[in-house]
Amino acid sequence: MKSKIGLVVGGSGSLGSQVVSVFKRNGWKILNIDVNQNDKADVNIQLSKEKKIQDQISLIHETTKSFSTNFDSIICTAGGFDMGSIREATLFEKYERLDKMNAQSALLAGHLAAHYLGEQGFICLTGAASVFEGPTNYAFAYGITKSATHALALHLSERTDIPASSTVCTILPTMIDNEANRQAMPNDDKSSWLPPEKIAELLKAWAEGENRPQNGSFAKLSYKNQCVIPEFL
Amino acid sequence: MKSKIGLVVGGSGSLGSQVVSVFKRNGWKILNIDVNQNDKADVNIQLSKEKKIQDQISLIHETTKSFSTNFDSIICTAGGFDMGSIREATLFEKYERLDKMNAQSALLAGHLAAHYLGEQGFICLTGAASVFEGPTNYAFAYGITKSATHALALHLSERTDIPASSTVCTILPTMIDNEANRQAMPNDDKSSWLPPEKIAELLKAWAEGENRPQNGSFAKLSYKNQCVIPEFL
C-alpha cells in the first residue's frame, strides 16, 4: 500500500509531536514545520522564531514542494496560551506572540493547503472551546487570536482555493493534559483532561477517512470514560 | 457648557478626518492617534509606521493621560482593505499590514478605553458588513483581520475592564464613498455609497447619548434617501 502523506504545522509541540508519532506508527510520511525539529518526522522545516513567516516562505515552499505536491492531510497543531486582560501593559507583546502561534500558523497551513492538498484531502486546524463558547477577557490576546483561527476555518471551508472534495475541520479542545497545563494547575483534577495521544488517534482516523466529520465542522473535544468525544457546534 | 472629550484612533483617514471635523464643529476636544497628523485635532499622537505599537505605547499613554483620564468617547476609524486569496504569494505581508490597521488599531482603542474611558463612555469600533455577513475569500487577510475586530468588540462589550455604564458599538459599513474606493471602482453607481461625513454625524449623535444603541451592538450601515441607516445584526 502506498504511504499516505501528511504535513503537520507545529509537529514538535505537546499535541503535534503525538500527531507525528501516531501518524508515523500508521505508515504515513510526515513533513513537520515548527521552530524545533522532531526526529520522528521524515523531514523537518525548522522555522526561525526571530524571523517573520514572509521572510521564510520561499524556503517553506521549496521544501514542501519537494516533499509532496499531493498531501492527504494538513494539520495545524501549533498554538499558544497566555493570561492577561486588555488593560495590561504587555498586551501588544502578547498579541504579537499569540497571533504568530495561533493565527499565522493556521494561515500557513491554509496557504500550503491551497497549493499542495490533494483530492479528498483533510485539513484540521486547532481552535479553542473556551473562546468559541464565549468571550475570554481573562486571556484577551488569546481570545482574539483564536477567534481569528475560527474565522480562518470558516473562510477556508468555502473551498475556493482548495479541492472541492476536501474537508476542513477545526478541533476545539477543552483542557489538554500537557506539561504546561500540569505546571499551571498542579492541584486540578486531571481525569477530564485530554491526552494528546488520544486526540492524535482521532485525527489519524479522520485523516484516513474513517468517520470523518463533514466539511466546515467545529468539533469540541471532551474526555470521558478514557475516550475523546467530539461534539459538533 | 464643559467640552466633551474624545479620542480618535485613525483620525487622519477618510472616515476619521470627518469624525474629527464633525466632533470639533460640535465643541468636542479631540486627541487623534494616527500615522499622519490632522491639524483639526487639538492634539496628535503621530505613530511611526515602521515601529510596533508596543514600542510606542509608553509615549501613547503619556500623551493620552495628559490630555484626559476621563474620555467621553473613544472611536476607532482606522482600517485597511486589500484583495487577495489565501493562495497568493504576498499573503503574509498583507496579513501583517491589515492586522496592524484593522485588529491592532481596535486593540489600541480598547486598551486605552480600559485606562481612560469615563462613566457612560461610548466606544465605537469599525468592522465590515461584508465580513460579518459571510466569508470574503477574495480578500482573505482582510476577512480574518476584520473578524478579529468583531471578536474584540464582543470581548470588550463584556465590560470587564471598562466602566459598567459604558457602551461598546461596532459599525459595519457597506461601501464608503472615499477616494480609494472611487479609484478602485470608477464605473460603479455611487448613490448608495456611504458619505464619511454622514457616518461621522451619526457617531457624534451616539457619542453625545442621542439615540445611542445598546451595548454590544453591531450596526450595519447603509445609505438610502441621503440618510445613513443603521441596521442591528
Side-chain angles (χ1 to χ4, degrees), chain B residues 4 21 29 78 89-90 95 105 110 136 146 204 225:
Chain B
K4 288 192 175 286
S21 294
K29 280 186 58 190
T90 57
Y95 179 80
S105 60
T136 53
K146 280 289 186 189
K204 193 272 310 179
N225 296 346

Side-chain angles (χ1 to χ4, degrees), chain A residues 5 13 23 37 43 45 49 51 85 95 108 115 141-143 148 163 165 175 181 213:
Chain A
I5 301 171
F23 278 60
Q37 302 239 2
V43 171
I45 300 176
K49 262 190 183 178
K51 284 190 194 163
S85 76
Y95 179 80
L108 179 60
H115 285 270
Y142 175 73
S165 59
M175 191 65 72
N181 288 336

